[in-house]
mmCIF file of all heavy atoms in Angstrom:
data_model
loop_
_atom_site.group_PDB
_atom_site.id
_atom_site.type_symbol
_atom_site.label_atom_id
_atom_site.label_comp_id
_atom_site.label_asym_id
_atom_site.label_seq_id
_atom_site.Cartn_x
_atom_site.Cartn_y
_atom_site.Cartn_z
ATOM 1 N N HIS A 68 13.415 -1.029 -3.439
ATOM 2 C CA HIS A 68 13.551 0.185 -4.254
ATOM 3 C C HIS A 68 15.041 0.455 -4.476
ATOM 4 O O HIS A 68 15.626 1.369 -3.888
ATOM 5 C CB HIS A 68 12.884 1.376 -3.573
ATOM 6 C CG HIS A 68 11.410 1.246 -3.432
ATOM 7 N ND1 HIS A 68 10.801 0.941 -2.247
ATOM 8 C CD2 HIS A 68 10.426 1.362 -4.341
ATOM 9 C CE1 HIS A 68 9.497 0.888 -2.422
ATOM 10 N NE2 HIS A 68 9.235 1.131 -3.692
ATOM 11 N N THR A 69 15.651 -0.317 -5.359
ATOM 12 C CA THR A 69 17.098 -0.283 -5.540
ATOM 13 C C THR A 69 17.586 1.056 -6.094
ATOM 14 O O THR A 69 18.606 1.568 -5.642
ATOM 15 C CB THR A 69 17.535 -1.422 -6.487
ATOM 16 O OG1 THR A 69 16.969 -2.639 -6.005
ATOM 17 C CG2 THR A 69 19.029 -1.558 -6.534
ATOM 18 N N LYS A 70 16.878 1.634 -7.042
ATOM 19 C CA LYS A 70 17.317 2.900 -7.638
ATOM 20 C C LYS A 70 17.341 4.022 -6.601
ATOM 21 O O LYS A 70 18.287 4.809 -6.548
ATOM 22 C CB LYS A 70 16.407 3.283 -8.812
ATOM 23 C CG LYS A 70 16.567 2.382 -10.008
ATOM 24 C CD LYS A 70 15.633 2.787 -11.128
ATOM 25 C CE LYS A 70 15.739 1.818 -12.285
ATOM 26 N NZ LYS A 70 14.795 2.126 -13.353
ATOM 27 N N ILE A 71 16.308 4.096 -5.774
ATOM 28 C CA ILE A 71 16.268 5.129 -4.736
ATOM 29 C C ILE A 71 17.370 4.877 -3.710
ATOM 30 O O ILE A 71 18.018 5.814 -3.237
ATOM 31 C CB ILE A 71 14.883 5.184 -4.061
ATOM 32 C CG1 ILE A 71 13.821 5.591 -5.065
ATOM 33 C CG2 ILE A 71 14.892 6.153 -2.884
ATOM 34 C CD1 ILE A 71 12.408 5.532 -4.529
ATOM 35 N N ALA A 72 17.614 3.601 -3.374
ATOM 36 C CA ALA A 72 18.651 3.265 -2.401
ATOM 37 C C ALA A 72 20.032 3.680 -2.904
ATOM 38 O O ALA A 72 20.821 4.274 -2.153
ATOM 39 C CB ALA A 72 18.611 1.775 -2.105
ATOM 40 N N VAL A 73 20.325 3.394 -4.160
ATOM 41 C CA VAL A 73 21.618 3.781 -4.729
ATOM 42 C C VAL A 73 21.735 5.302 -4.769
ATOM 43 O O VAL A 73 22.791 5.866 -4.468
ATOM 44 C CB VAL A 73 21.799 3.159 -6.138
ATOM 45 C CG1 VAL A 73 23.005 3.736 -6.849
ATOM 46 C CG2 VAL A 73 21.899 1.643 -6.036
ATOM 47 N N LEU A 74 20.647 5.981 -5.092
ATOM 48 C CA LEU A 74 20.655 7.443 -5.112
ATOM 49 C C LEU A 74 20.914 8.004 -3.712
ATOM 50 O O LEU A 74 21.683 8.965 -3.562
ATOM 51 C CB LEU A 74 19.329 7.966 -5.680
ATOM 52 C CG LEU A 74 19.271 9.443 -6.025
ATOM 53 C CD1 LEU A 74 20.329 9.796 -7.054
ATOM 54 C CD2 LEU A 74 17.904 9.801 -6.552
ATOM 55 N N GLN A 75 20.306 7.415 -2.678
ATOM 56 C CA GLN A 75 20.574 7.854 -1.306
ATOM 57 C C GLN A 75 22.047 7.669 -0.961
ATOM 58 O O GLN A 75 22.661 8.544 -0.342
ATOM 59 C CB GLN A 75 19.711 7.067 -0.307
ATOM 60 C CG GLN A 75 18.290 7.517 -0.226
ATOM 61 C CD GLN A 75 17.480 6.722 0.789
ATOM 62 O OE1 GLN A 75 17.774 5.566 1.080
ATOM 63 N NE2 GLN A 75 16.452 7.351 1.321
ATOM 64 N N LEU A 76 22.617 6.556 -1.349
ATOM 65 C CA LEU A 76 24.027 6.282 -1.092
ATOM 66 C C LEU A 76 24.922 7.292 -1.797
ATOM 67 O O LEU A 76 25.842 7.858 -1.191
ATOM 68 C CB LEU A 76 24.372 4.856 -1.534
ATOM 69 C CG LEU A 76 25.819 4.404 -1.402
ATOM 70 C CD1 LEU A 76 26.259 4.460 0.053
ATOM 71 C CD2 LEU A 76 25.986 3.006 -1.956
ATOM 72 N N VAL A 77 24.657 7.563 -3.069
ATOM 73 C CA VAL A 77 25.468 8.505 -3.840
ATOM 74 C C VAL A 77 25.357 9.915 -3.264
ATOM 75 O O VAL A 77 26.365 10.608 -3.095
ATOM 76 C CB VAL A 77 25.068 8.476 -5.334
ATOM 77 C CG1 VAL A 77 25.698 9.610 -6.111
ATOM 78 C CG2 VAL A 77 25.429 7.136 -5.952
ATOM 79 N N VAL A 78 24.142 10.333 -2.926
ATOM 80 C CA VAL A 78 23.956 11.675 -2.358
ATOM 81 C C VAL A 78 24.703 11.807 -1.031
ATOM 82 O O VAL A 78 25.336 12.823 -0.761
ATOM 83 C CB VAL A 78 22.449 12.001 -2.196
ATOM 84 C CG1 VAL A 78 22.230 13.232 -1.333
ATOM 85 C CG2 VAL A 78 21.799 12.185 -3.546
ATOM 86 N N SER A 79 24.669 10.765 -0.215
ATOM 87 C CA SER A 79 25.386 10.806 1.064
ATOM 88 C C SER A 79 26.896 10.896 0.845
ATOM 89 O O SER A 79 27.584 11.617 1.563
ATOM 90 C CB SER A 79 25.068 9.565 1.895
ATOM 91 O OG SER A 79 23.722 9.571 2.268
ATOM 92 N N LEU A 80 27.413 10.161 -0.131
ATOM 93 C CA LEU A 80 28.850 10.215 -0.405
ATOM 94 C C LEU A 80 29.270 11.558 -0.989
ATOM 95 O O LEU A 80 30.290 12.122 -0.589
ATOM 96 C CB LEU A 80 29.253 9.082 -1.350
ATOM 97 C CG LEU A 80 29.174 7.666 -0.773
ATOM 98 C CD1 LEU A 80 29.456 6.638 -1.861
ATOM 99 C CD2 LEU A 80 30.141 7.504 0.381
ATOM 100 N N VAL A 81 28.497 12.071 -1.939
ATOM 101 C CA VAL A 81 28.846 13.332 -2.601
ATOM 102 C C VAL A 81 28.774 14.515 -1.630
ATOM 103 O O VAL A 81 29.583 15.438 -1.705
ATOM 104 C CB VAL A 81 27.931 13.569 -3.828
ATOM 105 C CG1 VAL A 81 28.074 14.965 -4.380
ATOM 106 C CG2 VAL A 81 28.230 12.542 -4.906
ATOM 107 N N THR A 82 27.841 14.464 -0.695
ATOM 108 C CA THR A 82 27.683 15.578 0.255
ATOM 109 C C THR A 82 28.443 15.343 1.558
ATOM 110 O O THR A 82 28.209 16.043 2.539
ATOM 111 C CB THR A 82 26.196 15.802 0.576
ATOM 112 O OG1 THR A 82 25.665 14.624 1.181
ATOM 113 C CG2 THR A 82 25.410 16.172 -0.661
ATOM 114 N N CYS A 83 29.355 14.373 1.563
ATOM 115 C CA CYS A 83 30.180 14.056 2.735
ATOM 116 C C CYS A 83 29.330 13.747 3.962
ATOM 117 O O CYS A 83 29.640 14.189 5.084
ATOM 118 C CB CYS A 83 31.163 15.184 3.021
ATOM 119 S SG CYS A 83 32.328 15.468 1.678
ATOM 120 N N GLY A 84 28.250 13.028 3.779
ATOM 121 C CA GLY A 84 27.428 12.583 4.902
ATOM 122 C C GLY A 84 26.222 13.437 5.206
ATOM 123 O O GLY A 84 25.339 13.014 5.945
#
Side-chain angles (χ1 to χ4, degrees):
H68 295 104
T69 309
K70 290 179 184 177
I71 296 174
V73 170
L74 192 59
Q75 282 181 333
L76 177 61
V77 169
V78 167
S79 294
L80 291 174
V81 169
T82 61
C83 298

